Amino acid sequence: PFKDQPGLLISCVQSILNKTHYENYEILLIDNNSEEEETSQALRSLLQNDQIRSYTFQSEFNFAAINNFAVEQAEGDYILMLNNDTEVIAHDWVRAMLEQAQLKNVGGVGAKLIYADCTVQHAGVILGVGGMATHAFHGFWEEDNYYFGNMNVIREYAAVSAACLMVAKQDYLAVGGMDEKLAIAYNDVD
């Protein structure tokens, strides 16, 4: 999903196209009321690639509703939600996430997300902290291992961020998608 900020959108999409070794995917761009001409130009340029499709979501911002709308348009068996301000840094990211998403006991797969300053934004969601939830290892240095390497191994969490979330489409639909009453926050955790 995106609204304007064409520079972020182009960086995100180009990183997917240039760094993803997995080939069987489509990119759906969901425009939420963009207004800038630069955005229209960027979109026209991106849509020259056959793997990319664009749809317009013409309502007030509601992250849950936008993602639910996107899933309805998707043709694949697995959905990978990705914020427009992310950039791919590892060529095997889709394959690694898909490997976990196909396991019978896995609901959703997240990724360790790193800020530009090499600190961790997200490495899973811990429920109950601060009365609701918090991101595991937030603010820690990306390369550190900490307690028995927990930050750098595949592990189970109750939830992950939809900033980068893979889930089987049938599972997403079976639970009714994201709760649209949670328009801005916690819809992915819910």
Side-chain angles (χ1 to χ4, degrees), residues 42-181:
L43 201 51
R44 282 193 296 275
S45 174
L46 291 170
L47 290 173
Q48 292 178 25
N49 184 306
D50 292 338
Q51 286 180 284
I52 302 173
R53 295 193 322 243
S54 177
Y55 297 90
T56 301
F57 183 82
Q58 294 182 332
S59 290
E60 285 186 34
F61 178 79
N62 181 318
F63 187 74
I66 292 169
N67 280 290
N68 289 343
F69 172 77
V71 170
E72 291 173 15
Q73 315 314 313
E75 295 176 3
D77 294 332
Y78 289 86
I79 307 301
L80 196 149
M81 296 170 191
L82 193 64
N83 281 6
N84 66 323
D85 63 350
T86 57
E87 287 188 36
V88 173
I89 59 175
H91 70 275
D92 61 344
W93 71 292
V94 172
R95 196 174 308 270
M97 292 180 78
L98 187 57
E99 182 177 271
Q100 299 301 313
Q102 292 181 49
L103 297 174
K104 188 178 269 190
N105 63 337
V106 173
V109 177
K112 182 167 75 171
L113 304 177
I114 309 298
Y115 289 120
D117 69 358
C118 297
T119 60
V120 174
Q121 175 188 4
H122 169 273
V125 175
I126 301 170
L127 300 180
V129 177
M132 182 60 92
T134 193
H135 289 179
F137 302 105
H138 183 263
F140 287 46
W141 292 107
E142 159 191 24
E143 295 296 324
D144 288 341
N145 273 315
Y146 296 99
Y147 187 73
F148 290 100
N150 276 330
M151 189 172 68
N152 296 308
V153 297
I154 296 169
R155 46 185 305 176
E156 289 187 24
Y157 283 96
V160 295
S161 170
C164 183
L165 165 67
M166 182 180 281
V167 62
K169 184 176 181 178
Q170 70 179 16
D171 293 345
Y172 187 92
L173 296 173
V175 299
M178 291 185 182
D179 186 344
E180 295 182 15
K181 289 181 263 173

